[in-house]
Amino acid sequence: MVTGTGLVERAGGLCEVGRRRAGDAEEQRRLTPDVVARMLESGFARHFVPVGFGGVEGGFGEFARAVAVVAEGCAATAWCASVAASLARVAACLPQEGQADVWGSGADVFVVGSLSPVGSAVQAPGGWRLSGSWAYVSGVDYADWVVLCAALPGRDGARLFAVPRGAYAVKDTWTGSGMRGTGSNTVVVDDVFVPESRSVDRQRLSDGRTVPIQAVNGLSCAPAALGVARGALKLWTADTARRLARGGGRAGGPGPSLGTYEAVLTRSSGEIDAAMLLLERAASVADDRGERITEEEIARNVRDYALSSELLVNAVNRMYAASGTSGQSAGSPLERAWRDVNSIATHIALTFDPAAVLFASRPFALEAA
């Protein structure tokens, strides 16, 4: 039975700090130090850390709700909070000695990384020599450790490597139109030795000793989109109410009619609620089933992450189109939400076609048999 840790309640305070500093994060293309400090104090980094190292081994449902709460104030803050929790869960797959290296001085360690096998590693006495360049590593400017994935020349598969701050370089390459404050820069490693204790086969993420990463990967992204959409709904509704109070929406007048605004509100709020229910079920399945989750349940979760993302993008795009010049002004909170939710939806964990291939493969195979 997964119990609560208070993360959702603490997320409310982080939401407000992130909201106040969202403009600064956009301008600097990374979070501000006070936001990062508050994120760690809130408990995101320790949420999936083993109890033996000071963590709480929290649940996916609580994690997803907390990320969505933060995203109502600042999508970039929520994204980095999600990364801190999700990559710590990956680091928990390391051998015990490697985990002790990461969390030996406490559980509130900011771990970031990339699971794309774009680097290379060769065996060396006692470990590996790692080289490569990994783009789009969110929050890396403030990270204590990075977990990186590399292919093994001449061998099948890939491995994960935990590398401490100081053993890698960071290139300032992040120029995304959305999620600007995430600081998703590039990590460069040049022939760095990584001991065996800080490395693990990537298959460990899916081998049945923990919740397979495919079952929960979308939970590292979609809840942020949910929070952004909720925040956008509040902004749009308040702005539209003021517009109507000034005489907007009148039949025969300039601009959309009252019926148009009513339809936008009703349909967009319904899509946001539907996405929330899909994500709640996916998180509940991961919490309840754990490593016993079935292939069918994994496929449904992957489908639901992609589908919820589409619903949320549709909802925000509809509100943005009906927001008028003020809502679409560059740098306005609604314009930022529009950029952010569309940017989140491009993440590989939320793309629909791969989800459809996975979901439909088993039913179609059974029918063809």
Side-chain angles (χ1 to χ4, degrees):
M1 178 76 177
V2 179
T3 58
T5 68
L7 185 65
V8 176
E9 291 74 18
R10 294 190 297 275
L14 179 59
C15 171
E16 293 309 313
V17 174
R19 190 194 309 276
R20 291 197 300 269
R21 300 291 262 160
D24 296 323
E26 281 257 311
E27 181 179 352
Q28 299 171 23
R29 293 181 295 111
R30 58 181 55 82
L31 299 183
T32 55
D34 57 321
V35 172
V36 176
R38 185 61 176 267
M39 177 190 74
L40 296 176
E41 292 170 4
S42 298
F44 279 93
R46 65 171 55 223
H47 187 69
F48 290 121
V49 174
V51 172
F53 291 106
V56 297
E57 295 186 38
F60 292 102
E62 182 181 30
F63 160 73
R65 290 191 298 274
V67 170
V69 166
V70 178
E72 289 194 35
C74 177
T77 301
W79 188 268
C80 289
S82 177
V83 166
S86 301
L87 269 295
R89 181 174 178 271
V90 172
C93 293
L94 293 170
Q96 284 289 306
E97 184 180 347
Q99 294 182 44
D101 290 341
V102 175
W103 296 303
S105 59
D108 294 321
V109 173
F110 192 7
V111 182
V112 303
S114 170
L115 304 185
S116 298
V118 294
S120 63
V122 295
Q123 279 193 295
W128 303 80
R129 303 217 60 97
L130 178 68
S131 296
S133 178
W134 292 261
Y136 311 126
V137 182
S138 300
V140 67
D141 292 287
Y142 298 104
D144 300 300
W145 289 78
V146 296
V147 175
L148 304 169
C149 188
L152 310 178
R155 299 168 60 177
D156 293 332
R159 290 187 71 83
L160 302 173
F161 301 88
V163 183
R165 173 183 284 274
Y168 55 87
V170 178
K171 290 179 63 177
D172 188 347
T173 57
W174 178 238
T175 58
S177 60
M179 303 297 284
R180 289 178 181 168
T182 59
S184 301
N185 289 312
T186 298
V187 172
V188 179
V189 176
D190 184 12
D191 194 32
V192 169
F193 176 75
V194 180
E196 188 70 35
S197 60
R198 296 180 190 166
S199 177
V200 66
D201 193 302
R202 189 175 62 167
Q203 185 59 32
R204 175 67 176 81
L205 300 177
S206 305
D207 66 2
R209 286 178 283 177
T210 183
V211 181
I213 193 167
Q214 194 173 23
V216 293
N217 203 23
L219 279 181
S220 65
C221 312
L226 174 62
V228 171
R230 283 175 173 168
L233 181 64
K234 292 177 181 178
L235 290 168
W236 183 87
T237 302
D239 184 66
T240 302
R242 289 190 291 268
R243 181 177 292 114
L244 295 176
R246 295 193 300 267
R250 290 175 298 183
S257 68
L258 175 60
T260 297
Y261 289 126
E262 290 171 339
V264 170
L265 173 64
T266 304
R267 189 174 296 278
S268 292
S269 64
E271 287 172 335
I272 293 169
D273 282 352
M276 176 194 69
L277 293 172
L278 289 172
L279 295 178
E280 285 183 348
R281 181 176 66 181
S284 177
V285 168
D287 281 331
D288 294 344
R289 299 285 290 163
E291 64 274 9
R292 296 176 292 106
I293 193 169
T294 66
E295 292 183 2
E296 291 82 2
E297 289 168 330
I298 291 173
R300 188 181 66 186
N301 273 15
V302 173
R303 178 204 68 185
D304 290 350
Y305 300 139
L307 184 57
S308 65
S309 175
E310 286 194 354
L311 290 169
L312 295 167
V313 167
N314 289 341
V316 174
N317 286 353
R318 185 182 300 106
M319 290 185 287
Y320 183 71
S323 66
T325 304
S326 60
Q328 296 175 7
S329 298
S332 76
L334 184 61
E335 189 265 349
R336 182 168 63 242
W338 171 71
R339 284 189 284 108
D340 287 344
V341 78
N342 278 277
S343 179
I344 292 170
T346 64
H347 195 281
I348 191 171
L350 303 179
T351 51
F352 196 86
D353 284 355
V357 170
L358 179 65
F359 184 79
S361 60
R362 183 175 176 84
F364 286 166
L366 290 175
E367 289 297 324

